Amino acid sequence: MKPTDYPAEYLEFINLFNRGKFFEAHEILELRWRQEKGKPRDYYHGLIQIAAVFVHIQKGTPEGGKKLLKTASNYLEKYRPAFMGLNIEKLLAETETCLFAARKFPQLSLA
């Protein structure tokens, strides 16, 4: 699929995520997630949880982020190694590194 074939909310999620607007990214994708009945439903839920991990990091509450990372990993498990243009393996690894080693936030890029 070409990036232009993806839902607008998904693309806006990526845009907001990459700008460090994790709460807003979470909110925009939640709209799509609530409407979704097909295969991407759990995928969107996992991405929403990943965004929430970074909200916790920004707020200085990494313990809450650690719990959400486990939940997100469970939702994203069936979409590994990649789905809808995103490398799930890389996203989870970079999220974990950021959460546990206080590294810079990852950037999402569509394949």
Side-chain angles (χ1 to χ4, degrees), residues 69-88:
L69 179 57
K70 183 171 176 30
T71 303
S73 294
N74 289 338
Y75 279 113
L76 295 172
E77 181 64 36
K78 64 185 169 188
Y79 301 101
R80 290 180 177 199
F83 187 73
M84 289 181 69
L86 285 185
N87 182 329
I88 304 304

Side-chain angles (χ1 to χ4, degrees), residues 5-6 13 16 18 39 42 57 60 62 73 80 89 93 95 97 102:
D5 294 336
Y6 296 121
F13 169 85
L16 290 166
N18 286 342
K39 184 176 180 180
D42 284 345
I57 292 170
S73 294
R80 290 180 177 199
E89 297 290 340
T95 301
T97 297

Side-chain angles (χ1 to χ4, degrees), residues 78-109:
K78 64 185 169 188
Y79 301 101
R80 290 180 177 199
F83 187 73
M84 289 181 69
L86 285 185
N87 182 329
I88 304 304
E89 297 290 340
K90 181 179 175 190
L91 174 61
L92 290 171
E94 289 180 354
T95 301
E96 185 173 328
T97 297
C98 185
L99 185 59
F100 290 96
R103 303 272 172 117
K104 67 178 188 164
F105 298 133
Q107 295 288 296
L108 303 179
S109 58

